Amino acid sequence: MSLLVVSGSLNPDSNSRVLAREAHRVLTGAGHVATFLDLRDLPLPPCDGATAYSHPQVAKARALLAPAAGILVATPIYNYDASAAVKNLVELTGRGAWENKVVGFACASGGAASYMSIMALANSLMLDFRCTVVPRFVYSVETDFKAELITNPDVARRTAELATTLARYVAALKA
Ligand SMILES: Cc1cc2nc3c(=O)[nH]c(=O)nc-3n(C[C@H](O)[C@H](O)[C@H](O)COP(=O)(O)O)c2cc1C
């Protein structure tokens, strides 16, 4: 079973990237095959619903997403939503990359009030692409991190739990 961890922040100093790295470390430490896609390393064109689909970088994104049965998306919360970079990835890669996958979310935010922000993307993945969304997500705030480390043990615990639950769901759905 192949898993993919997506880091969806374009900020060089990103907390959601810290969550993504930790989730990836947990998965590989548990013996899972997990690829890491940092959207900072794969600049994508903005989705225009037309020519952007044939951009070579989009083909690379699709090739990384396609084999993954489970995708853990670590995203900043921007304007009460996932980052535009993450939404753009979904828009560019679409059904072929996401349909029937297990998806988990780890969010980095500025404050506690935006804790339901991931639901718009979660709903669209469930309704459009029949994704199975892990019904437990990581929601973190800026004070949960220091110097590229998770300093809140509960956030670290939840990140590990999200990663292992994602893998468990993928295995269960394959059985
Ligand atoms: C354009 C922009 C919009 C933001 N909107 C929100 C928001 O709606 N709710 C919130 O809690 N934090 C918001 N924030 C704060 C970010 O979620 C926070 O800085 C987080 O650490 C970003 O993730 P990253 O560190 O992985 O890039 C916003 C930040 C930016 C730059």
Side-chain angles (χ1 to χ4, degrees):
M1 117 182 132
S2 163
L3 303 172
L4 178 71
V5 177
V6 176
S7 174
S9 179
L10 303 184
N11 189 332
D13 184 19
S14 155
N15 291 335
S16 58
R17 188 174 300 109
V18 175
L19 297 175
R21 286 203 183 113
E22 177 60 11
H24 186 253
R25 188 189 68 78
V26 167
L27 287 170
T28 54
H32 298 292
V33 177
T35 306
F36 194 88
L37 166 58
D38 188 337
L39 293 184
R40 254 182 81 78
D41 298 334
L42 187 70
L44 294 170
C47 183
D48 60 0
T51 57
Y53 295 126
S54 49
H55 193 285
Q57 295 283 84
V58 177
K60 281 187 193 167
R62 271 199 216 100
L64 287 166
L65 287 157
I71 304 169
L72 193 155
V73 178
T75 180
I77 297 300
Y78 283 172
N79 296 316
Y80 295 88
D81 210 325
S83 69
V86 165
K87 287 189 75 246
N88 192 46
L89 175 72
V90 174
E91 289 159 12
L92 286 169
T93 52
R95 187 172 306 281
W98 294 87
E99 194 165 43
N100 294 323
K101 306 270 172 96
V102 178
V103 180
F105 293 107
C107 308
S109 75
S114 301
Y115 74 100
M116 286 183 72
S117 301
I118 202 61
M119 291 315 298
L121 180 59
N123 282 337
S124 86
L125 290 173
M126 284 191 286
L127 295 174
D128 263 4
F129 302 147
R130 289 182 291 284
C131 293
T132 299
V133 174
V134 177
R136 203 169 246 296
F137 63 95
V138 175
Y139 185 85
S140 64
V141 297
E142 283 167 4
T143 50
D144 294 327
F145 302 87
K146 197 164 189 185
E148 302 204 357
L149 290 172
I150 304 171
T151 51
N152 181 337
D154 198 46
V155 170
R157 181 189 61 74
R158 290 176 68 96
T159 304
E161 188 180 39
L162 175 69
T164 52
T165 306
L166 179 94
R168 210 155 42 80
Y169 272 45
V170 170
L173 287 173
K174 274 184 76 176

